[in-house]
Amino acid sequence: MRILIAGATGLVGQGVLHETLSHPGIDRIGLLGRRSAGCADPRIDELLVPGFDALDGVAGRLGGWDACFYCAGAPPVGTPERRYRHVTLDLTLRVARAYAECNPLGRFLYVSGAHADPASRLMPMRVKGDTEVALQALPITTVMLRPGGIQPAHGERSPHAWMRPFYAVGAPLMGLGVRLLPSVMTSTTAMGRALLALAAIPSPPAVVENAGINRLGAA
């Protein structure tokens, strides 16, 4: 398979890239983002852009990918609603529409969040829900993954410096949570493996909750 990853320098994206590189069935990996992932694997093709609303420079390289793993996003805590909606909804749709146009038989797999719902009273869940609805209207196969808490499994670091101490302090509890609360917690390893499995199966489900991510990640 040929996999395009959007947001490979984020915490989730780092873990997804790690698992994608480890998969023997991946021939080519495209990394769409604003910064280099700093990985020298010969299968990698970096598509660097000023932002996801400025894709013209890589338009000719967006075709030929079997699936797009969309791992980018803004922190749900500390991000004003207007900014959160722009990053979560507007920019995601920019990439998804461009990908769909170039890959009509491709799959767009979106890392959403637990309890995503357009009717939610909580802003992040409401915006994630709106994003899911918009993506599901696209003329390609889409899959929404709804993780809860995500444990960094291979030393992945958040690109947001203020969040790193929380992960450092919470790492032991997160590891315990992955084992004891499979419907609530997952890991970057399970996320990557679940995305790869969903990219390959003939008829993937439209929505995969946290427990389903862990089941696919353990297979």
Side-chain angles (χ1 to χ4, degrees):
M1 289 188 295
R2 294 167 56 90
I3 302 296
L4 179 65
I5 303 175
T9 58
L11 186 142
V12 174
Q14 293 169 43
V16 170
L17 175 58
H18 182 279
E19 295 303 321
T20 304
L21 286 167
S22 301
H23 195 290
I26 305 302
D27 299 321
R28 196 72 179 164
I29 304 168
L31 302 182
L32 177 65
R34 293 183 294 124
R35 299 181 299 276
S36 172
C39 187
D41 190 285
R43 291 172 295 170
I44 285 182
D45 181 16
E46 291 202 301
L47 288 71
L48 298 180
V49 294
F52 287 166
D53 54 354
L55 301 175
D56 291 349
V58 298
R61 300 160 63 193
L62 288 177
W65 304 101
D66 297 300
C68 176
F69 299 164
Y70 195 92
C71 307
V77 177
T79 305
E81 181 171 357
R82 183 174 180 180
R83 172 66 179 168
Y84 190 80
R85 179 170 289 274
H86 174 67
V87 172
T88 304
L89 176 59
D90 299 340
L91 296 186
T92 302
L93 281 179
R94 289 281 186 94
V95 174
R97 286 168 177 160
Y99 174 80
E101 183 176 351
C102 296
N103 304 275
L105 299 180
R107 295 181 182 180
F108 191 88
L109 296 95
Y110 174 60
V111 178
S112 182
H115 309 296
D117 182 350
S120 176
R121 295 181 179 180
L122 299 178
M123 183 274 290
M125 298 173 187
R126 183 171 64 251
V127 175
K128 287 277 190 181
D130 289 339
T131 304
E132 288 189 3
V133 170
L135 290 174
Q136 288 166 341
L138 294 175
I140 59 169
T141 298
T142 57
V143 181
M144 313 299 148
L145 289 86
R146 295 177 177 171
I150 303 176
Q151 176 204 21
H154 299 288
E156 296 91 353
R157 299 180 71 202
S158 172
H160 307 285
W162 67 270
M163 295 182 67
R164 293 171 192 162
F166 295 98
Y167 280 100
V169 172
L173 288 177
M174 294 181 79
L176 185 64
V178 171
R179 294 192 294 273
L180 299 181
L181 301 169
S183 64
V184 176
M185 295 287 300
T186 188
S187 68
T188 53
T189 293
M191 288 296 304
R193 293 178 180 176
L195 284 162
L196 289 161
L198 291 164
I201 60 178
S203 299
V207 176
V208 182
E209 303 287 354
N210 195 95
I213 292 170
N214 284 329
R215 284 194 295 271
L216 289 166

